[in-house]
Amino acid sequence: MSLCEMTHQCKAALCMLLMNLTISNTRLQVTNSSCNFPDGPEKTGDIERIKNEGKELTKEEKQRLRKEKKQQKKNKEKKDEKAPLESEKEKKPASSSPASQATAQPPTQKASSGVPAPAPVPVAASEAPSPVDKPAKSKAELKAERRARQEAERASKQSKKGEVGQQAAPSKAKAPPSELQPVVKRLPEHIQVDNPEVLKKLAKKLERQQIPLRSDYGYKVSLFSHLHQYSRKAPLTQQLSIPSSVIHPAIVQLGLQYSQGIVAGSNARSVALLHAFKQIIRDYTTPPNEELSRDLVNKLKPYISFLNQCRPLSASMGNAIKYIKKEISNIPSQCKEEEAKSKLQDCIDCYINEKIILAAKAIAKYAIEKISDGDVILVYGCSSLVNHILCEAFEKNRKFRVIVVDSRPRLEGREALRRLVQRGISCTYVLISAVSYILPEVSKVFLGAHALLANGYVMSRVGTSQIALVAKAFNVPVLVCCETYKFCERVQTDSFVSNELDDPDDLIVTRKGKTHLEHWQDVSSLGLLNLVYDVTPPDFVDLVITDLGMIPCTSVPVVLRVKNVDQ
Amino acid sequence: MEFQAVLMAAGGGSRMTDLTYNTPKAMLPVGNKPLMWYPLNLLERVGFEEVIVITTKEVQKMMSADPKIKQDVKMKLEVVCIQEDGDMGTADALRHIQPKIKTDILVVSCDLITDAALHEVVDLFRAHNATLAMLMSKAHEFTETVPGQKGKKKTAEQRDFVGVDESGKRLLFMANEADLEEGLSIRKSILRKHPRVHIKTGLVDAHLYCLKKSVVDFLTDNKSISSIRGELVPYLVRKQFSKTINGQKTKDDVEDQNQKKSDSKLHISSRDEPLLQLAQERSCWNDHRGDMSEAYHGGKLRCYVHIMDQGLCYRVNTLAAYIEANRLAPKLFEEPVVHPSAVTSERCQIGSDSIIGASCQVAEKTSIKRSTIGNSTTVKEKVKVTNSIIMHGVTIEEGCNIQGSVICSNAIIGRGADLKYCLVGNGQRIESIAVFQLKECVSVFVLN
């Protein structure tokens, strides 16, 4: 605190001096005080005298000042070199009390000025008179030391900034925080579409993997301009050769099915992906001088990029890919190719069996406990797991009826409705705009999930959070059903940061022969937004039914931790 | 490998015998390129590297001699020769090359000239795991007067009835007028599954088919099918709605087993069928709505068609089509009007929609409009050529006037001849000062 006051006092004194002196170069004044200490304490006294007296500097004094300025410049350069080392030392001294620091500072500064031999002497010299002249010199010395320290810190900061600026920063937004945090976190590419650097990097990577780049389509609403938006009428296969040689045909077929929506839904996509991987592994032959465990993983990378271009990967697909890559890398090098391939295929079958089929059975078993006779259950969209639960409950002769809530443009609820009615369950069908009208009748809400995030948020089809909110307002319990393989280590609190934009032309509908939105691109102030996912906060979710049991939403990180420990 | 391309180039051109009695259809010049160059170019552009060409020995000889095919086509052509006179249909040819087929095939006919985006057809084949995917196009009226034909009246061509579903992609039935005796009858099972059917008649079948490998295997067992277009495609389209394929495989009757044996080859049996089933079950997608059945009505056999409404698509199997193709084929490719090796004098007028072939000699005061002049043709002075197709090696003496005609290779037109809407065969010679014209549909054909 006292240092600050002294700084102000010095500054005030300097200003006065400036006004009086004809020398307008303020640097001289600053360097004047800071280059005091290399010359020794006697100069301090001179300049102090001048300042206190307010007299004009004589010619000799001006020359002396100029010399001191030159020396100061040299000292500064040497200080810059040793600034990173000094910054540590300076930081430590800065934390402790300033008074005791005052004497410690000049020795370090003297050392950094590149004169190590006389350093101990001035130390002794400064230390010797310091207790004697403490009241008189402490002010000036402190001021000089402080100034030197400030300059050293400034120099060290500049050098640090230089280092950070030289890095090819993946995101501009992260540059300022990186100075504060030691760890620079990389944002994934698919949510930085408005950053041209990131796009260039992506284009280079795809070019290297020989995969065509899919171009964005249409005007994007500004809030979501950081996400990709593709058109279904421009498939990626347009730019591929027809007997696809770079990408395995199974992957091309899968990518087409994803982009056209033929395979939709988290479980279906994962199963189809693993099926395609099985075909790839079957058709794979290890090239000479390569190891299966490393080469196969490298072969999978362009395929995954291709699938990502067709449709952004889901969390469940990401987890499945991680599992496969781990299994492939864990194959011992002595293993023969045929053996390894059959082992991998068994692993895939095992994974699907455990994580999807058996998990569905386990979840159905838990969920049926929660369904009692006379229940009115509300479901949203078409979740394969929720449909499975309801069908199983119906088989076990529970008496309940279902209300299916649907929303445009996907209208997936119709498919759910068909599957339930085919089994014989009595259903009601409403659109999401009627949810608050129908909720007084509802006793429970069952929701499916696309992924469960590490902070307990549920990522699901857009509209789910709305239903959860309204259900909460009506005090209706909301149960989310989700397998553990969909648990994701990501954290998200809003639906903007990471989402998926579907084809905006899906919103165009023809009624009575008229298509009002046909030329929406020509209207400059109109944007069509077709969101796919949204996140529901854990306050609205009462229970999550997983294959490990029924857990509250906030226990998701525990499950993740346990899973990681197991693996 | 995903696809193997098969080019059918053994056809005889039965509907334009005037042109093909000497030159095989596959090597007829269109825009100074042999006809089979066009589908080969299409396959090359799309990315194929190998093509199996089924053709006759004669065509093979001409192919190896033709500069266009030798130089421009970079793909590897595997030529399979079949007997010329044998009545080998396209399906028989496929059966013949069955040992070479390892994957799904893309069958193209040699007389197809199109600029269609092939990926549309192939995407239907891939995305829906279809057994058959084909290309069709809206037919265009032929506007040119055809030599040797009675005016604008079309020959009574048998119409094709093609039924597609609401989306316009799924092929529901296909029948030719010749096969229908009284009327067009549609099975109730089709109507129950697809209540809205669009029936189209004015479509040109491009003879471009994507077929699954299991179909080729099926052909080896069923030797009665000899033509792809005539028999195989209608059979597959009918089989989509057949009960034996869709029904539950729980019966163990003997006759059912026999039927199953013959039909089982058509099943798309992938090794991981249960996984695919699981994925389809869990997927919330359906190709139709309004009834209680699952996607594709549980059918395993699916036929799709892509109908182009814009762009070129011609099958050069009649004279009219041949002339039309000659008119429009140059527009497909950016090529200079006059071949660099042709010698043309300054005082001749050559229209921009004409093509002069290689090593031609065009003398002064000639006027060539909307015509195609073949390679090594000599055109002497004061000749007027309009709206005509002149093939290779023709000599046209001075003062001739040729309008709307087709002159085949190596013909010699004597001095001062006046030909209107005529067709001159190969190597014929028209005497000087002869006047032939087609007035009121009197066709003239010179055959020595």
Side-chain angles (χ1 to χ4, degrees), chain A residues 126-399:
Chain A
S126 57
E127 273 180 0
S130 58
V132 178
D133 299 355
K134 222 180 179 175
K137 287 183 186 170
S138 60
K139 251 195 183 181
E141 270 190 24
L142 280 168
K143 179 185 56 171
E145 288 141 22
R146 212 188 319 113
R147 206 160 294 286
R149 208 189 313 130
Q150 279 172 358
E151 272 171 308
E153 271 177 89
R154 208 186 308 133
S156 69
K157 261 193 189 171
Q158 274 173 354
S159 62
K160 238 191 176 181
K161 264 187 192 162
E163 282 169 19
V164 173
Q166 277 158 21
Q167 276 173 20
S171 84
K172 292 173 190 162
K174 278 293 171 186
S178 73
E179 285 183 323
L180 305 169
Q181 298 162 20
V183 177
V184 178
K185 287 221 174 236
R186 279 240 208 101
L187 282 175
E189 170 277 320
H190 65 269
I191 56 171
Q192 287 188 80
V193 176
D194 52 354
N195 188 346
E197 274 180 26
V198 173
L199 283 180
K200 250 195 281 177
K201 263 194 164 187
L202 172 71
K204 265 197 224 161
K205 175 179 137 194
L206 288 177
E207 211 182 330
R208 212 182 344 117
Q209 294 175 333
Q210 291 177 289
I211 290 169
L213 176 71
R214 199 169 180 193
S215 46
D216 284 5
Y217 165 77
Y219 169 71
K220 278 191 255 189
V221 173
S222 57
L223 259 177
F224 293 94
S225 58
H226 61 286
L227 300 170
H228 282 294
Q229 180 171 281
Y230 300 127
S231 166
R232 203 155 290 147
K233 293 199 205 85
L236 205 48
T237 49
Q238 242 175 350
Q239 302 161 52
L240 283 179
S241 66
I242 281 195
S244 66
S245 41
V246 176
I247 303 170
H248 193 276
I251 296 285
V252 177
Q253 186 179 26
L254 190 63
L256 257 179
Q257 288 178 330
Y258 282 164
S259 62
Q260 291 184 7
I262 295 173
V263 176
S266 195
N267 283 338
R269 284 166 76 184
S270 305
V271 171
L273 176 72
L274 291 169
H275 166 76
F277 277 175
K278 272 180 95 171
Q279 283 181 300
I280 293 172
I281 291 171
R282 204 184 12 245
D283 296 337
Y284 173 76
T285 47
T286 324
N289 307 330
E290 294 277 353
E291 264 191 40
L292 185 140
S293 55
R294 257 174 258 144
D295 188 57
L296 187 53
V297 178
N298 287 340
K299 275 256 162 43
L300 289 179
K301 281 193 189 143
Y303 300 158
I304 294 166
S305 301
F306 175 77
L307 291 176
N308 207 1
Q309 287 278 294
C310 289
R311 191 171 165 197
L313 296 180
S314 66
S316 55
M317 286 167 71
N319 287 342
I321 290 172
K322 266 193 227 153
Y323 173 79
I324 288 289
K325 282 191 174 169
K326 195 175 71 83
E327 286 297 313
I328 294 176
S329 359
N330 282 349
I331 288 195
S333 45
Q334 311 94 301
C335 210
K336 271 182 270 180
E337 191 178 311
E338 284 310 312
E339 224 181 282
K341 291 204 302 193
S342 67
K343 187 165 162 240
L344 284 172
Q345 303 208 10
D346 288 339
C347 281
I348 293 180
D349 283 330
C350 192
Y351 185 81
I352 294 178
N353 199 27
E354 266 179 30
K355 309 276 182 179
I356 300 178
I357 301 176
L358 288 178
K361 286 202 186 131
I363 293 174
K365 196 167 68 99
Y366 288 121
I368 288 172
E369 294 168 28
K370 291 286 176 188
I371 300 177
S372 32
D373 284 345
D375 259 346
V376 179
I377 299 177
L378 187 132
V379 299
Y380 178 64
C382 184
S383 163
S384 55
L385 189 52
V386 172
N387 291 343
H388 177 84
I389 291 170
L390 293 174
C391 294
E392 289 284 304
F394 194 72
E395 305 271 307
K396 298 237 163 54
N397 295 323
R398 292 277 199 280
K399 306 274 177 293

Side-chain angles (χ1 to χ4, degrees), chain A residues 235 237-238 240-244 249 252-253 256-257 260-265 267-268 271-272 275 278-279 282 349 352 356-357 360 382 384 388 412 414-415 418-419 421-422 461 483, chain B residues 1-4 46-49 106 118-120 122-129 212 270-273 275-276 278-286 288-289 291-296:
Chain A
T237 49
Q238 242 175 350
L240 283 179
S241 66
I242 281 195
S244 66
V252 177
Q253 186 179 26
L256 257 179
Q257 288 178 330
Q260 291 184 7
I262 295 173
V263 176
N267 283 338
V271 171
H275 166 76
K278 272 180 95 171
Q279 283 181 300
R282 204 184 12 245
D349 283 330
I352 294 178
I356 300 178
I357 301 176
C382 184
S384 55
H388 177 84
E412 288 169 337
R414 292 195 283 197
E415 184 58 22
R418 179 190 73 80
R419 288 180 196 193
V421 171
Q422 200 180 28
R461 185 68 83 222
E483 298 97 333
Chain B
M1 246 226 299
E2 198 184 355
F3 281 110
Q4 276 175 288
V46 161
F48 276 96
E49 286 171 359
L106 179 71
L118 273 195
H119 76 90
E120 307 255 4
V122 177
D123 280 351
L124 281 174
F125 185 74
R126 289 166 175 151
H128 298 278
N129 213 3
K212 268 214 152 36
S270 67
R271 261 170 276 193
D272 295 304
E273 189 67 25
L275 264 188
L276 273 181
L278 180 67
Q280 201 173 20
E281 267 170 47
R282 296 300 172 110
S283 170
C284 48
W285 177 84
N286 206 324
H288 66 279
R289 64 181 182 92
D291 66 356
M292 287 295 223
S293 17
E294 50 182 359
Y296 307 125

Side-chain angles (χ1 to χ4, degrees), chain A residues 462-480:
Chain A
V462 65
T464 312
S465 65
Q466 192 180 346
I467 297 211
L469 171 68
V470 181
K472 184 81 179 174
F474 278 88
N475 271 328
V476 174
V478 173
L479 293 89
V480 169

Side-chain angles (χ1 to χ4, degrees), chain B residues 49 97 99 111 127 155 204 234 244 247 251 309 312 340 361 425 429:
Chain B
E49 286 171 359
I97 59 166
D111 53 11
T155 51
V204 170
T244 47
K251 291 188 190 162
D309 41 5
L312 271 179
Q361 284 181 6
R429 195 194 158 85

Side-chain angles (χ1 to χ4, degrees), chain B residues 100-127:
Chain B
K100 294 190 206 275
I101 306 283
K102 308 267 183 301
T103 65
D104 303 337
I105 56 173
L106 179 71
V107 180
V108 191
S109 173
C110 67
D111 53 11
L112 175 66
I113 300 181
T114 181
D115 64 350
L118 273 195
H119 76 90
E120 307 255 4
V121 180
V122 177
D123 280 351
L124 281 174
F125 185 74
R126 289 166 175 151

